[in-house]
Amino acid sequence: MTTTSTTSPPATGAGTTSTPATGIPAPGTPDDERLRRWRLVLGGGEADGTGRALAGADAAMDGALGALYEKGARGGLGGSAPSVARWLGDIRTYFPSSVVQVMQRDAIDRLGLATLLLEPEMLAAVEPDVHLVGTLLSLGKAMPETTRESARAVVRTVVEELEKRLATRTRATLTGALDRSARISRPRHRDIDWDRTVRANLKNYLPDHRTVVPERLIGHGRVSRAVRKEVVLCIDQSGSMAASVVYASVFGAVLASMRSLATRLVVFDTSVVDLTEQLDDPVDVLFGTQLGGGTDINRALAYCQSRITRPADTVVVLVSDLYEGGIRDEMLKRVAAMKASGVQFVTLLALSDEGAPAYDREHAAALAALGAPAFACTPDLFPEVMAAALEKRPLPIPEG
């Protein structure tokens, strides 16, 4: 059993209450609870050494764990959808959502249950999460039409939860960054921001005249009512980037909803697909991806570069583990050329809660030498990274 516990080993000696016949701690005592936990950790059998039997909910919980983590001893989950669906129901009964998601992921990886997700009744039983969405997207064209609508419902549930969590803060953070980047020091009279101007010139207050001399005017030019910045999200859709694709699609939809940003979303493997027209619905974006396959970063960046019209006002975000299957030197030259033209270039090795996956360290070092450091970014940090890029200030790169 691969389960862990912080419980201390069962204690013996003074203060222990046990049944006279067996020496096993009496039910309900602290020692009995400690023994119960060890029994659940060790999984039973001759080697556990506790002598503690399980009943009721404890026995059901132990059975659910054993079906996954002791396949050889317990016969596993079986190969049928009904048995797996029952197991999914059991783990949702006995474990919190965060644990259920881990166990689902382990079941898919360890027991090869991905193909069972092609059955609608299975999708109704699973706990939706980002990794499940990645698994569904990886099934791609193997998914029959009868399952596709069920899969879309699962994906939409996850996407809506992510939007609730991320959208408000992202819009607020980037709106502030756009306002600051659009400020001008010589505005026309009708564009002066008087509140900010007065605050900036308080040191020039003349008590005798009871007035402030505005040596520096602050305001917004007419550009503030139009598109101020352009963002290009260039997303690697190789299989290892599944969670990053999900988060990037959600963020792409949020950015596209901001009128002052022109947002483009491009996904790539060895080919390049522009999904910008679908950004109003991130679910459509996700079903427009095709996880797996090779990688040609150079070709993807060539396409993105060809769509840039205002380099000094453009941020390109490459989300990739940098395992390049195309022309490495050309890729680096292209990044250097974009930066030289004024593009703010951001490289994210991952956009997920798990941190950096395996990645090409040589390519990461080469990009860093060009002034485009590559690092993993959590969804909660992404708004701050984008705000810094829009304002052309140093990126908040996490330690390590």
Side-chain angles (χ1 to χ4, degrees), residues 124 142 190 209 359:
R190 63 184 176 184
H209 298 276
Y359 64 94

Side-chain angles (χ1 to χ4, degrees), residues 207-237:
D208 293 342
H209 298 276
R210 301 178 65 185
T211 188
V212 172
V213 178
E215 290 183 350
R216 185 164 67 94
L217 299 177
I218 299 174
H220 300 283
R222 292 186 179 185
V223 69
S224 65
R225 292 183 288 274
V227 171
R228 300 179 199 165
K229 298 284 185 178
E230 297 182 7
V231 175
V232 180
L233 299 176
C234 186
I235 314 301
D236 184 344
Q237 61 177 352

